[in-house]
Amino acid sequence: MRSSLRRSPGVPSLTAVILALGLLSACGEGVSEEEALFGQARQALLNGVGSTAARAALTKRWAPIHYQDVDVTGSHSLSGRSDFLTRVDFDGDWSGTNNWDNTGSRALTAHAYQSVVETSSHWYLLYTFFHPRDWSDSIFDTEHENDGEGVLLVVKRDGSEYGALVGAVTVAHKDFFSYVPAGSPLGSGSESLDGTLSLASFEGQLHPVTAQEAKGHGLKAWPYFDIVGDGVKYYPSLSLAEQPSSATDADVRYMLLDNYSPTEGLWPRRDLTTLFVSDGTFRGDTGGGCGLAAGNCGTNSANAPWGWDDQNDGPILRGEIAKDPAKLAAYYFSPSTQFSTTYTFNPFQGIGADPNQP
């Protein structure tokens, strides 16, 4: 068990729900809080992914081991803090226009947003990693407030408890990149595969390994991006949200947040005008010193998952990586016929059980 629990202010609702259940089974000697939470969430998964606890179990099982490259050069790096993961409301509010300003003065405890979409053939697990700054140390590069990038994992429902991970699509700025793990039944579809999805052991199970670059935070499968010099290695948790101890920290927990949750998620806030300027686009301004030279700070330049778009992938529309991932998977991978496109749970389309139910 880890020696300390460094939590973000306030316990999010997903954790509160499964914590109440998990503690009931945590009386056994040697059972950690994390083990209790995961054990109870596994039971919920047997009833489908319509509950927060079930989604917690499934997304924790496959959540990436995540490498974050860190750059400490230049004043806008804040000695590396500008590359730390955190939650959108890390500063205690749901305003998108003060996140750049508050990066240097608030705790940057690590979180990632997860969402699950289901068909009869696959689960689609989407992980969103947020940074308050997309920054630079050069006057020739642009910067902007807020930065959201992520990865879609394609998990085949093969009758086992958690299914089989068969593919991944990552988001790096205006491009998507596709990968399959060794032994996957998937091949390249209308888009060429970009490489092999590496796996590594964590808590006795294999997890995919992803990596984000410093500054702009594009995301690929590791080692297609990697830590170069300073960097943070993040590992998933249901109970811990930790802040790196320095620009180089090899063991930091990030807490999974349910993106459908009314208290902690982004999807229920899609119409909140202080956070979003339009559908799927974060509101951001030029305040707080953004831009090393006049005119090189962009406004409203970052997107939530339903605003992610590849600039040249044909029929896949903006936001379909979240809203219609089966369509995307059938386009990016082959054989396309194995992907059911009929959703049994997809809150992005209003399909399935009430996502606010525990």
Side-chain angles (χ1 to χ4, degrees):
M1 182 182 298
R2 298 175 67 81
S3 60
S4 63
L5 304 184
R6 291 173 281 173
R7 299 180 185 277
S8 56
V11 179
S13 65
L14 182 149
T15 302
V17 169
I18 54 181
L19 177 59
L21 293 173
L23 290 179
L24 294 177
S25 65
C27 299
E29 186 175 332
V31 178
S32 71
E33 178 182 333
E34 184 76 12
E35 290 170 333
L37 289 169
F38 190 57
Q40 291 295 325
R42 286 178 61 185
Q43 293 300 311
L45 183 59
L46 297 175
N47 298 320
V49 296
S51 73
T52 57
R55 293 191 295 277
L58 188 59
T59 57
K60 167 66 188 301
R61 165 62 188 91
W62 293 114
I65 297 169
H66 192 65
Y67 289 7
Q68 174 64 65
D69 192 27
V70 173
D71 194 326
V72 299
T73 60
S75 60
H76 289 186
S77 75
L78 300 175
S79 300
R81 289 173 56 86
S82 293
D83 291 319
F84 292 176
L85 299 179
T86 193
R87 54 193 292 162
V88 171
D89 60 332
F90 73 100
D91 54 357
D93 63 43
W94 292 100
S95 171
T97 56
N98 61 7
N99 288 332
W100 178 285
D101 317 48
N102 292 333
T103 304
S105 61
R106 307 299 174 87
L108 299 175
T109 51
H111 294 78
Y113 296 89
Q114 53 86 353
S115 58
V116 181
V117 165
E118 177 187 80
T119 68
S120 60
S121 63
H122 292 81
W123 286 307
Y124 298 93
L125 315 182
L126 191 63
Y127 300 85
T128 303
F129 298 100
F130 177 81
H131 299 80
R133 295 184 175 191
D134 181 306
W135 66 280
S136 173
D137 57 358
S138 170
I139 62 172
F140 301 106
D141 294 330
T142 59
E143 301 179 298
H144 60 78
E145 187 165 39
N146 303 315
D147 195 12
E149 317 223 12
V151 57
L152 174 72
L153 300 183
V154 181
V155 177
K156 182 176 177 59
R157 300 179 66 183
D158 62 356
S160 63
E161 185 174 17
Y162 300 110
L165 177 62
V166 294
V169 178
T170 72
V171 179
H173 314 303
K174 296 181 180 180
D175 291 292
F176 295 167
F177 296 85
S178 58
Y179 308 89
V180 295
S184 172
L186 299 183
S188 60
S190 297
E191 295 282 328
S192 299
L193 290 175
D194 294 293
T196 300
L197 182 64
S198 296
L199 305 177
S201 182
F202 172 62
E203 295 179 341
Q205 295 176 312
L206 292 176
H207 289 250
V209 186
T210 53
Q212 281 185 276
E213 60 186 355
K215 303 178 183 178
H217 306 133
L219 194 154
K220 293 183 178 181
W222 178 86
Y224 304 96
F225 280 149
D226 200 356
I227 291 173
V228 181
D230 294 305
V232 178
K233 294 182 179 180
Y234 290 101
Y235 298 86
S237 175
L238 298 179
S239 61
L240 287 174
E242 300 183 326
Q243 178 171 279
S245 59
S246 69
T248 299
D249 193 331
D251 188 8
V252 179
R253 296 295 185 269
Y254 71 87
M255 183 185 289
L256 291 163
L257 303 177
D258 193 323
N259 211 0
Y260 303 139
S261 166
T263 57
E264 64 197 15
L266 301 179
W267 178 243
R269 292 176 171 80
R270 59 193 178 276
D271 297 322
L272 183 64
T273 57
T274 59
L275 185 59
F276 293 105
V277 68
S278 59
D279 185 35
T281 299
F282 287 111
R283 184 180 293 277
D285 63 19
T286 60
C290 176
L292 290 170
N296 71 354
C297 180
T299 60
N300 310 326
S301 300
N303 294 298
W306 59 98
W308 291 344
D309 193 16
D310 182 279
Q311 57 190 337
N312 56 5
D313 63 353
I316 305 303
L317 304 179
R318 181 177 186 266
E320 287 187 329
I321 191 171
K323 295 181 177 181
D324 200 355
K327 174 186 173 183
L328 180 143
Y331 181 78
Y332 272 75
F333 301 107
S334 65
S336 61
T337 53
Q338 71 177 278
F339 296 103
S340 169
T341 55
T342 300
Y343 293 105
T344 54
F345 184 80
N346 187 346
F348 291 117
Q349 294 189 16
I351 298 171
D354 182 355
N356 301 332
Q357 293 297 311

